[in-house]
Amino acid sequence: MLSLVAILAQNVYTRVEDRVGEEVSTAKRTAIAGLAIGLLAGTAYVLAVVATAILLAGRYGAVPALFGLAGGFLLAALIVLAILVVRNRRERELRRIRREQLAARRDLMAAAAALAVRRPFAATGIALALGYLFAPKSRRRRD
């Protein structure tokens, strides 16, 4: 006869095992579908580039058409690179601000803990005041 803890542990293990099995099969299906979609989309892209090259070659000649396509793709790559650089810079700045806020909050908590040890009633008053000061504001305005 199994104990209650053993039965609960076995139940949890079985549920986790079932969930892991479901997730693995879903991940496999998603990976296979993703590969098929990627292959088909890549093929469509290559065919579109070749068709564009043929169209431009008929109008401007083969060499200018290929140089024009290469320049267009280079311009698109530079635009994507610029967007990436701007986003990385913005993310770095946000991380720096979060670190500074965390450090300020940590310092405030240390000061509050030191004050709470010496003067518990004053610390309670300060905690209530800070709670009211930093409480989330209602987004609904009353007219």
Side-chain angles (χ1 to χ4, degrees):
M1 180 168 215
L2 294 173
S3 70
L4 182 61
V5 174
I7 292 171
L8 289 175
Q10 186 179 19
N11 188 11
V12 168
Y13 175 74
T14 304
R15 286 184 182 182
V16 169
E17 187 179 26
D18 289 343
R19 293 282 301 175
V20 168
E22 291 172 7
E23 292 298 322
V24 166
S25 65
T26 302
K28 284 180 184 177
R29 237 186 344 265
T30 303
I32 291 170
L35 287 173
I37 291 169
L39 178 68
L40 293 172
T43 303
Y45 174 75
V46 168
L47 289 174
V49 169
V50 169
T52 305
I54 291 171
L55 178 73
L56 291 175
R59 182 172 289 173
Y60 300 111
V63 175
L66 291 176
F67 275 127
L69 278 177
F73 282 115
L74 181 62
L75 180 65
L78 290 175
I79 290 171
V80 170
L81 179 64
I83 291 170
L84 182 68
V85 166
V86 168
R87 287 196 55 143
N88 284 344
R89 186 177 302 143
R90 180 172 173 251
E91 191 66 31
R92 203 170 29 245
E93 180 67 20
L94 289 175
R95 276 195 307 263
R96 184 190 62 78
I97 290 170
R98 273 190 232 117
R99 273 195 310 267
E100 289 174 358
Q101 289 174 345
L102 184 62
R105 201 174 291 146
R106 193 173 43 237
D107 293 343
L108 183 63
M109 293 294 283
L115 182 65
V117 169
R118 292 188 202 140
R119 297 181 181 158
F121 289 121
T124 304
I126 290 174
L128 286 172
L130 288 175
Y132 284 123
L133 180 67
F134 294 126
K137 306 291 187 265
S138 174
R139 293 192 185 262
R140 197 170 11 141
R141 282 200 271 169
R142 294 183 184 176
D143 293 327

